[in-house]
Amino acid sequence: MLYKTTLRNGVRIVTEKIPYVKSASFGIWVKTGSRNEKDDEHGISHFIEHMQFKGTKLRSAFEISEAFEKIGAQVNAYTTKEYTCFLLKVLGEYLFDAADILCDMFFNSIYSSVDIENEKKVIIEEIKSYEDMPEEIVHEYFAKAFFDGHPLGKPILGTIESVSSFTKNKVFNFLEREYVGGNIIISVSGNVDHNEVVDRLGYLFENNIPSGGNFVYIPPEIKPRVIIKYKNSEQVQICIGTPALPHTDENIYTLTVLNNILGGSLSSRLFQEIREKRSLAYSIYSYNVSFFDCGLWGIHTGTSSNNVYSVLEICLNIIASIKENGVKEDELERAKQQLRGELLLSMENTMNHMSRLGKSELTHNRVITIDEMVEKVMAVSLEQVYELAKKLFVPENFGLALIGPFRGDIDLKATIKKFGIC
């Protein structure tokens, strides 16, 4: 059963009662991420996420860890381009004990000058470590290939230069501007009582968070291009794709099905052709990422430098085939059944329930149920997949990011034209 309460300052509390489980999951979602940062704040959302674990007026960093471990709680946090999340999972009997610790971190972190300087060093090392993981950083270059000059085209971690500039005042200015009522959602799932959650947590968020939250997103000017970065590594990492759909687009479920057929499963066309039949890569998959006003769809793989042209040509050939001929009935049904299974199986984990509540409320201003998702996936037709493929796979919309031991040139437009994506 789903429940929702909006506090006077705009903070929303959404809960889902699952009477048969022993665990409970709790999340604080803030509708702010790297996209909300000004030029001199690049990476500050992620920095704040780290600083929340560094100690409060009541607990040191060690005491925070110790307090969570004493009750067997699993705690984490992460930052995306459009939101930040602080989350935990614990036995239901300890839910409010664990929530008290997480709320202490959220409201009472001290941001000492010593901790700020130390954490800047930690994050700079994290940035450097990403440079040593081309399979990870290629996705940032892929976003840059479409959104260069826009916050969506910048890495979430920031840069060494931007992180080095962070001060306590800069952190507090960002918190004051972004951590406001309209940007905050509390989501809880498990054998919980909604009224008790509101009674025990609502006053904290109503009395300590100011009203506000009307950030106006400026859509990116999308200019797809090719980015090739030489790196002395064993493989060449490749991301190729097109602009896609925002969170609320009515075709998002059709895209989910199309993505599954192309590269979202072991039976997908890309996996079967490139790995199973030709042995050109160990891992290959396609994925979709949506934002509030745009999105990206892409294919990611890693291969030897002498296979780059072959892999790109096969990918484009598969895309051209779907755009020209659509997909088969058995492919469609297999994809829909797999997605249905994934959605229904996710209901057995309170963390998945909690995350769905928070993300759904954050992106749609309402909770979308699993049953609704399954219904929309199962309603996707062959014609819808075909029409969306024709809409997405337009030659001038393709972009490419490539990192690794590759010194060649790639004329993406000519290659696309060769395979008839027109």
Side-chain angles (χ1 to χ4, degrees):
M1 299 178 68
L2 299 171
Y3 301 91
K4 174 179 174 180
T5 295
T6 302
L7 305 179
R8 287 178 297 178
N9 59 352
V11 173
R12 287 163 281 173
I13 300 176
V14 289
T15 69
E16 184 171 16
K17 185 176 180 64
I18 311 171
Y20 54 84
V21 298
K22 293 186 179 295
S23 69
S25 293
F26 171 76
I28 303 172
W29 302 75
V30 188
K31 189 181 176 182
T32 187
S34 59
R35 183 174 188 176
N36 299 66
E37 298 162 356
K38 298 178 180 178
D39 288 342
D40 64 341
E41 298 171 334
H42 188 198
I44 203 165
S45 300
H46 173 256
F47 183 77
I48 288 170
E49 173 220 312
H50 275 230
M51 289 301 300
Q52 298 272 13
F53 289 83
K54 294 303 169 184
T56 72
K57 299 170 185 176
L58 300 177
R59 299 176 175 94
S60 67
F62 174 77
E63 288 169 336
I64 288 172
S65 299
E66 187 179 47
F68 279 126
E69 289 171 3
K70 279 182 177 179
I71 56 178
Q74 302 169 6
V75 63
N76 206 345
Y78 63 93
T79 305
T80 74
K81 293 182 185 289
E82 293 186 327
Y83 62 86
T84 306
C85 182
F86 306 88
L87 65 161
L88 63 83
K89 183 178 181 181
V90 70
L91 289 172
E93 61 195 277
Y94 296 122
L95 170 62
F96 292 106
D97 297 309
D100 176 71
I101 304 167
L102 196 65
C103 288
D104 182 32
M105 295 163 53
F106 190 77
F107 290 113
N108 300 315
S109 288
I110 55 179
Y111 298 99
S112 74
S113 298
V114 172
D115 286 336
I116 286 175
E117 291 306 309
N118 286 338
E119 201 58 31
K120 283 157 65 171
K121 295 175 185 177
V122 169
I123 292 177
I124 287 170
E125 292 302 319
E126 185 180 3
I127 292 170
K128 291 178 179 178
S129 75
Y130 258 67
E131 291 292 339
D132 288 333
M133 295 187 290
E135 71 276 10
E136 296 291 337
I137 203 169
V138 69
H139 298 284
E140 294 291 355
Y141 282 99
F142 185 56
K144 186 176 181 180
F146 293 89
F147 304 137
D148 194 20
H150 188 274
L152 287 176
K154 297 180 179 179
I156 293 166
L157 300 184
T159 64
I160 292 175
E161 292 73 23
S162 64
V163 172
S164 299
S165 74
F166 292 162
T167 63
K168 193 169 186 175
N169 283 340
K170 193 171 287 189
V171 168
F172 282 177
N173 287 339
F174 187 83
L175 288 169
E176 182 179 352
R177 186 180 79 232
E178 300 293 338
Y179 279 53
V180 293
N183 283 351
I184 295 175
I185 297 161
I186 310 304
S187 63
V188 186
S189 68
N191 190 8
V192 297
D193 180 81
H194 179 79
N195 291 331
E196 184 180 11
V197 172
V198 174
D199 289 344
R200 298 186 64 168
L201 299 177
Y203 76 95
L204 275 173
F205 288 88
E206 193 165 67
N207 295 330
N208 292 285
I209 297 291
S211 301
N214 293 306
F215 185 84
V216 178
Y217 289 108
I218 300 174
E221 184 180 359
I222 300 175
K223 296 179 179 179
R225 63 192 181 102
V226 173
I227 297 177
I228 299 176
K229 180 178 174 63
Y230 182 86
K231 190 170 187 64
N232 187 18
S233 55
E234 292 298 319
Q235 282 191 314
V236 179
Q237 298 296 321
I238 302 168
C239 277
I240 183 171
T242 71
L245 308 177
H247 296 299
T248 55
D249 193 286
E250 62 181 7
N251 289 313
I252 198 73
Y253 294 97
T254 304
L255 177 56
T256 302
V257 173
L258 173 59
N259 177 69
N260 185 278
I261 293 169
L262 272 164
S265 68
L266 298 182
S267 66
S268 67
R269 293 194 183 190
L270 287 165
F271 189 89
Q272 286 297 311
E273 189 67 28
I274 289 177
R275 172 169 163 157
E276 297 300 284
K277 292 182 181 180
R278 299 174 185 260
S279 304
L280 293 173
Y282 172 73
S283 172
I284 181 163
Y285 62 88
S286 63
Y287 66 99
N288 175 63
V289 57
S290 292
F291 304 110
F292 285 109
D293 50 12
C294 59
L296 280 181
W297 176 85
I299 298 168
H300 172 241
T301 191
T303 192
S304 300
S305 57
N306 59 321
N307 293 332
V308 168
Y309 292 115
S310 296
V311 168
L312 285 174
E313 289 178 357
I314 294 167
C315 289
L316 292 170
N317 193 32
I318 289 171
I319 291 170
S321 176
I322 284 185
K323 183 177 179 181
E324 181 178 351
N325 304 312
V327 302
K328 300 175 183 177
E329 184 70 43
D330 64 324
E331 284 182 305
L332 178 68
E333 289 306 312
R334 185 169 62 242
K336 293 196 294 187
Q337 288 297 339
Q338 183 188 8
L339 292 167
R340 174 177 176 269
E342 290 176 357
L343 287 168
L344 293 176
L345 289 173
S346 73
M347 296 177 68
E348 299 183 6
N349 187 316
T350 57
M351 184 65 80
N352 291 336
H353 280 268
M354 183 278 294
S355 295
R356 176 177 51 83
L357 294 181
K359 290 179 184 177
S360 179
E361 183 66 36
L362 188 145
T363 56
H364 292 78
N365 295 314
R366 70 180 184 91
V367 173
I368 301 175
T369 67
I370 291 289
D371 288 342
E372 182 180 348
M373 292 180 182
V374 169
E375 181 181 351
K376 290 189 175 182
V377 165
M378 298 306 292
V380 172
S381 68
L382 287 170
E383 182 64 22
Q384 287 174 317
V385 172
Y386 179 57
E387 290 300 322
L388 181 61
K390 290 196 296 183
K391 177 182 176 182
L392 286 184
F393 302 140
V394 178
E396 58 268 25
N397 287 351
F398 277 81
L400 169 70
L402 188 151
I403 302 175
F406 179 82
R407 295 190 183 277
D409 292 323
I410 295 176
D411 187 337
L412 190 57
K413 291 183 179 179
T415 307
I416 289 171
K417 185 177 180 180
K418 175 181 177 181
F419 288 98
I421 303 177
C422 56

